[in-house]
Amino acid sequence: MADPIRIRAQLTGNNATVRALMGHEMESGQRKDAAGKTVPAWYIQEVSATHNGKTVLTAQWGPAVSKNPFMQFIVKNAKVGDKVAISWKDNRGDTRTDEAIVA
């Protein structure tokens, strides 16, 4: 199972700044190991974020995204106590979803 997504959602005025750090190896499929064999591609393909169950962000990623990617975005009209959830799916079919509360 993948590492938890580290999410922080901080309220500033009516907007929440959401920061997320996703633990994932993000192999491009172009690197070779010590034996000279190509390391198979393994990367996050789809990312989505919800605010109280409503989708506020969707993204499609590829093999060029770095290991353990960091993402930041703003959610408008947020309040303290609202839930923000982030989900991802990789090219092997693995998924991960984690939540944070706006503070």
Side-chain angles (χ1 to χ4, degrees):
M1 178 165 236
D3 292 336
I5 303 170
R6 296 176 60 191
I7 306 170
R8 177 175 291 167
Q10 293 180 307
L11 191 65
T12 306
N14 288 336
N15 300 329
T17 301
V18 180
R19 295 175 180 92
L21 182 62
M22 299 172 227
H24 198 282
E25 290 299 313
M26 301 296 283
E27 286 290 346
S28 68
Q30 297 179 352
R31 193 173 63 85
K32 296 188 189 285
D33 63 13
K37 294 182 181 178
T38 303
V39 177
W42 183 33
Y43 55 90
I44 295 173
Q45 287 184 312
E46 300 170 15
V47 179
S48 64
T50 61
H51 171 235
N52 290 332
K54 181 182 174 188
T55 301
V56 293
L57 177 138
T58 58
Q60 293 181 345
W61 288 357
V65 177
S66 69
K67 179 179 179 178
N68 300 325
F70 172 80
M71 178 174 70
Q72 178 175 314
F73 59 95
I74 293 175
V75 175
K76 294 182 180 182
N77 301 317
K79 297 181 214 71
V80 171
D82 286 357
K83 282 188 182 180
V84 176
I86 298 176
S87 303
W88 59 254
K89 180 179 178 182
D90 67 18
N91 66 320
R92 292 184 183 173
D94 294 333
T95 60
R96 179 77 197 200
T97 301
D98 289 292
E99 292 182 348
I101 303 296
V102 175

